[in-house]
């Protein structure tokens, strides 16, 4: 525990605790550990928590002792198998857990999980740091090169004020990085460099990459425990960044902020919400958004971020649907003597893990970059699916239900964003599109990037129908025919004519 407290001084003495038979009031500590709202959140124990303890929120198990009893081993695994609804947000239930085994117990019990390649999705605090960093850089490009901090820097009044408040916030987070933390040591010289606020006076692309890649994910003493507020922060930051570039999901983000405002208007019996009722009325409407500015967005972020948690749980899902976390490569662990059943979804999950671990394979690159597959490529895809654990029945089902191996694999690995943009290159060249047309094309590209293919019928469904009742009200018939042709051509690259479904 001394090492943890030294590495994370802001959490020292309460976040991670040792619980043993010698611990005074050990049962009280176990009870508070079982409460997701209370410390400790990390419990270190020997034998006391192996059996008879049900904490559904547990998603990480660390085995640091040799176990040779299979029943005990399974009981230890059982600490992570408890279901927990809404663990990651409304409707986002616990579906899996991680085991970090340092003593080769899995190998002893005939387990041989391959180590995960790559990394997990970035933490919310890391994404917030990078979004703020990107916004500072964008503002630097817009503001005069010799502009210094205004005497009354206020991000709700001017872009210059916003720029310097963001820079000071990021600087304070870097200044709060504990240098004794073992994670920090490799970047210690960089931390020392950026502790000097003079190096935040103007950011270059190289500076942004250096800070974002090396410092954004480091622990810091500057803490914010309001998860809902932080998610709202990131939502507004993305809207602010949308003032500098076209974001495919800008309209959706704006709609979700309006939904949040509408949901809060149902809570005006709470004094803190009632105080912001006038602002909420404006944000929930349309006129306020017509000429929205960065300072205005900053104003709603500051005034509303602390209120989001007051939305009733049945409505709060609107906060969590705004962000798509990236998943790192996963590995499935199967106990030989325990039959838990197999199904097609498990095969899909295993195939996704295997394919992501082999993204550099030439055939997968062709598939992701929208290049035409050959019959030889299909043979290679089948080999990869078999290598991921698929049987003949699974492969046959893929051919039937997904209309071919190419489309199935494309649905798992997605389409490269640049390739999706390239597919619409001829359609966009030399044209001036309306805002609604740009948003509509952006939604198509986002869908292709995530799902790899898109049926033309989807143009009449949400989220496209959220922009307009039907695509005909946005595009003339000739343009709509061209869009359908592009979607079909993207589909055709993954389905060689010689493939038999």
């Amino acid at each position: 525990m001394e090492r943890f407290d030294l590495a994370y001084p802001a959490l020292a003495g309460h976040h991670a605790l040792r619980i043993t038979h010698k611990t005074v009031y050990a049962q009280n500590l176990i009870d508070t550990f079982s409460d997701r709202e209370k410390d400790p959140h990390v419990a270190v124990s020997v034998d006391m928590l192996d059996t008879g303890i049900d904490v559904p929120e547990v998603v990480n198990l660390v085995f640091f002792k040799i176990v040779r009893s299979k029943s005990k081993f399974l009981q230890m695994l059982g600490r992570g198998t408890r279901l927990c609804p809404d663990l990651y947000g409304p409707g986002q239930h616990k579906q899996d857990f991680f085991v970090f085994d340092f003593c080769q117990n899995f190998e002893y019990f005939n387990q041989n999980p391959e180590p995960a390649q790559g990394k997990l999705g970035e933490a919310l605090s890391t994404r917030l740091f990078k979004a703020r960093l990107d916004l500072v850089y964008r503002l630097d490009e817009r503001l005069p090169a010799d502009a210094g901090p205004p005497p009354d820097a206020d991000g709700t009044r001017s872009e210059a004020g916003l720029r310097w408040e963001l820079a000071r916030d990021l600087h304070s987070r870097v200044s709060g990085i504990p240098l004794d933390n073992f994670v920090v040591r490799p970047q210690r010289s960089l931390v020392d460099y950026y502790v000097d606020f003079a190096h935040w006076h103007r950011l270059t692309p190289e500076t942004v990459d250096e800070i974002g890649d090396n410092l954004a994910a480091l622990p810091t003493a500057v803490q914010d425990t309001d998860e809902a507020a932080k998610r709202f922060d990131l939502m507004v930051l993305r809207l602010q960044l949308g003032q500098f570039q076209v974001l495919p999901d800008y309209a959706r983000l704006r709609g979700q902020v309006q939904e949040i405002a509408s949901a809060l208007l149902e809570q005006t019996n709470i004094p803190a919400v009632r105080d912001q009722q006038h602002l909420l009325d404006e944000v929930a409407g349309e006129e306020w958004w017509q000429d929205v500015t960065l300072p205005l967005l900053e104003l709603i972020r500051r005034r509303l971020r602390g209120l989001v948690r007051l939305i009733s749980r049945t409505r709060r899902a609107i906060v969590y649907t705004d962000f798509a976390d990236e998943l790192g490569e996963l590995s499935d662990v199967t106990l030989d003597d325990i039959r838990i059943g197999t199904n097609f979804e498990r095969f899909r999950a295993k195939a996704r893990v295997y394919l992501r671990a082999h993204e550099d394979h030439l055939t997968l690159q062709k598939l992701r970059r929208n290049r035409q597959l050959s019959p030889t490529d299909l043979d290679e895809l089948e080999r990869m699916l078999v290598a991921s654990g698929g049987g003949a029945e699974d492969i046959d089902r893929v051919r039937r239900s997904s209309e071919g191996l190419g489309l199935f694999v494309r649905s798992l690995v997605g389409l490269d964003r640049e390739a999706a943009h390239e597919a619409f290159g001829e359609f966009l060249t030399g044209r001036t599109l309306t805002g609604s047309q740009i948003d509509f094309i952006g939604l198509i590209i986002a869908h292709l990037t995530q799902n790899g293919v898109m049926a033309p019928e989807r143009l009449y469904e949400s989220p496209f129908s959220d922009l307009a009742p039907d695509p005909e009200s946005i595009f003339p018939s000739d343009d709509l025919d061209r869009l359908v042709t592009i979607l079909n051509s993207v589909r055709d690259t993954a389905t060689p004519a010689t493939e038999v479904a």
Side-chain angles (χ1 to χ4, degrees), residues 408-424:
F408 174 76
V409 174
R410 171 82 70 73
S411 72
L412 298 181
V413 300
L415 191 68
D416 183 82
R417 180 170 289 275
E418 290 186 7
H421 276 283
E422 183 181 326
F424 290 86

Side-chain angles (χ1 to χ4, degrees), residues 99-114:
V99 179
F100 301 88
D101 180 18
F102 292 92
C103 297
Q104 297 184 309
N105 295 301
F106 277 91
E107 286 79 358
Y108 180 82
F109 291 109
N110 198 28
Q111 307 307 298
N112 189 25
E114 295 182 1

Side-chain angles (χ1 to χ4, degrees), residues 83-285:
L83 299 178
C84 186
D86 302 325
L87 179 60
Y88 304 113
Q92 299 181 32
H93 310 314
K94 174 182 175 182
Q95 296 181 334
D96 49 31
F97 63 98
F98 286 97
V99 179
F100 301 88
D101 180 18
F102 292 92
C103 297
Q104 297 184 309
N105 295 301
F106 277 91
E107 286 79 358
Y108 180 82
F109 291 109
N110 198 28
Q111 307 307 298
N112 189 25
E114 295 182 1
Q117 305 295 322
K119 61 181 180 180
L120 294 175
E122 290 181 334
L124 177 58
S125 58
T126 302
R127 287 183 284 152
L128 275 168
F129 189 106
K130 289 185 175 181
R132 292 184 178 115
L133 187 66
D134 191 13
L135 186 53
V136 171
Y137 169 68
R138 303 269 182 185
L139 285 166
D140 277 345
E141 287 187 311
R142 178 180 291 183
L143 296 170
D146 57 349
D152 56 342
D154 184 347
T156 66
R157 293 180 179 273
S158 68
E159 292 187 355
L162 177 60
R163 187 266 178 225
W164 287 99
E165 285 193 331
L166 286 169
R168 292 194 181 280
D169 176 82
L170 293 171
H171 172 256
S172 69
R173 294 175 188 278
V174 172
S175 299
I177 294 175
L179 298 178
D180 290 328
N181 189 308
F182 69 94
V183 176
V184 177
R185 288 172 190 164
Q187 307 298 339
R188 184 163 185 165
S189 61
L190 205 58
V191 173
D192 286 335
Y193 181 79
Y194 285 105
V195 164
D196 183 354
F197 189 65
H199 296 132
W200 293 86
H201 283 196
R202 191 164 187 85
L203 302 184
T204 65
E206 294 75 21
T207 301
V208 171
D209 290 341
E210 182 177 55
I211 297 174
D213 293 343
N214 299 292
L215 304 184
L218 295 181
T220 177
V222 179
Q223 298 288 321
D224 184 354
T225 59
D226 192 335
E227 196 78 3
K230 290 194 294 184
R231 291 183 181 275
F232 185 73
D233 285 346
L234 187 55
M235 187 185 298
V236 175
L237 278 165
R238 292 175 64 187
L239 286 170
Q240 290 174 317
L241 289 169
Q243 301 293 305
F244 296 89
Q245 60 184 358
V246 175
L247 295 181
D249 57 349
Y250 185 90
R252 180 172 61 86
L253 288 170
R254 186 185 74 177
Q256 288 180 337
V257 172
Q258 291 175 301
E259 288 183 39
I260 290 173
S262 299
L264 286 171
L265 285 171
E266 298 176 6
Q267 306 286 332
T268 52
N269 58 312
I270 301 174
V273 177
R274 187 165 56 248
D275 291 343
Q276 304 298 331
Q277 183 170 354
H278 178 69
L279 178 61
L280 290 169
D281 284 330
E282 291 188 324
V283 174

Side-chain angles (χ1 to χ4, degrees), residues 190-491:
L190 205 58
V191 173
D192 286 335
Y193 181 79
Y194 285 105
V195 164
D196 183 354
F197 189 65
H199 296 132
W200 293 86
H201 283 196
R202 191 164 187 85
L203 302 184
T204 65
E206 294 75 21
T207 301
V208 171
D209 290 341
E210 182 177 55
I211 297 174
D213 293 343
N214 299 292
L215 304 184
L218 295 181
T220 177
V222 179
Q223 298 288 321
D224 184 354
T225 59
D226 192 335
E227 196 78 3
K230 290 194 294 184
R231 291 183 181 275
F232 185 73
D233 285 346
L234 187 55
M235 187 185 298
V236 175
L237 278 165
R238 292 175 64 187
L239 286 170
Q240 290 174 317
L241 289 169
Q243 301 293 305
F244 296 89
Q245 60 184 358
V246 175
L247 295 181
D249 57 349
Y250 185 90
R252 180 172 61 86
L253 288 170
R254 186 185 74 177
Q256 288 180 337
V257 172
Q258 291 175 301
E259 288 183 39
I260 290 173
S262 299
L264 286 171
L265 285 171
E266 298 176 6
Q267 306 286 332
T268 52
N269 58 312
I270 301 174
V273 177
R274 187 165 56 248
D275 291 343
Q276 304 298 331
Q277 183 170 354
H278 178 69
L279 178 61
L280 290 169
D281 284 330
E282 291 188 324
V283 174
E286 294 294 332
E287 185 177 350
W288 187 87
W289 293 91
Q290 297 306 312
D291 298 306
V292 69
T293 63
L294 296 177
L296 281 176
L297 288 169
E298 181 66 12
L299 177 67
I300 67 167
R301 186 192 71 80
R302 296 187 188 183
R303 291 193 182 181
L304 305 186
R305 70 183 305 274
L307 304 179
V308 176
R309 59 183 176 83
L310 301 176
I311 298 174
S312 63
R313 288 192 173 273
T314 57
R315 297 289 304 274
R316 201 182 299 175
I318 57 178
V319 178
Y320 292 87
T321 56
D322 182 44
F323 308 101
D325 289 334
E326 295 181 0
L327 292 178
E329 286 73 17
L330 307 176
S331 59
D332 288 344
V333 175
T334 305
L335 294 172
D336 287 349
D337 296 337
I338 299 180
R339 296 185 178 274
I340 57 176
T342 59
N343 55 46
F344 189 69
E345 286 306 314
R346 185 171 296 118
F347 162 65
R348 284 177 61 92
K350 290 194 295 184
R352 182 181 288 109
V353 171
Y354 182 89
L355 293 169
R356 286 181 175 175
H358 297 80
E359 282 184 338
D360 293 334
H361 193 284
L362 179 60
T363 299
L364 290 185
Q365 285 296 308
K366 290 177 64 176
L367 198 60
R368 281 182 49 77
R369 297 181 183 278
N370 198 30
R371 301 294 184 259
Q372 182 65 57
L373 295 186
S374 67
T376 302
D377 292 324
L378 292 177
D379 293 338
E380 192 61 20
L381 290 179
E382 180 173 357
R383 184 197 64 77
M384 297 176 78
L385 292 176
V386 171
S388 72
E393 182 178 349
D394 295 319
I395 304 300
D396 289 338
R397 179 173 176 178
V398 165
R399 287 196 175 97
R400 294 193 306 272
S401 63
S402 302
E403 300 181 18
L405 300 183
L407 291 176
F408 174 76
V409 174
R410 171 82 70 73
S411 72
L412 298 181
V413 300
L415 191 68
D416 183 82
R417 180 170 289 275
E418 290 186 7
H421 276 283
E422 183 181 326
F424 290 86
E426 184 177 348
F427 180 85
L428 299 174
T429 300
R431 305 186 58 183
T432 301
L433 301 179
T434 67
S436 297
Q437 290 173 332
I438 292 173
D439 289 342
F440 200 92
I441 296 296
L443 287 176
I444 297 177
I445 290 174
H447 188 283
L448 289 173
T449 301
Q450 181 173 355
N451 301 290
V453 70
M454 176 176 162
E457 300 81 42
R458 290 281 289 118
L459 296 173
Y460 295 85
E461 302 171 1
S462 181
F464 304 95
S465 58
D466 298 337
L467 289 177
D470 53 66
E472 285 85 354
S473 62
I474 298 180
F475 293 98
S477 58
D478 288 345
D479 282 350
L480 192 56
D481 290 341
R482 292 175 65 189
L483 289 178
V484 172
T485 299
I486 293 172
L487 292 177
N488 289 334
S489 67
V490 172
R491 178 187 183 87

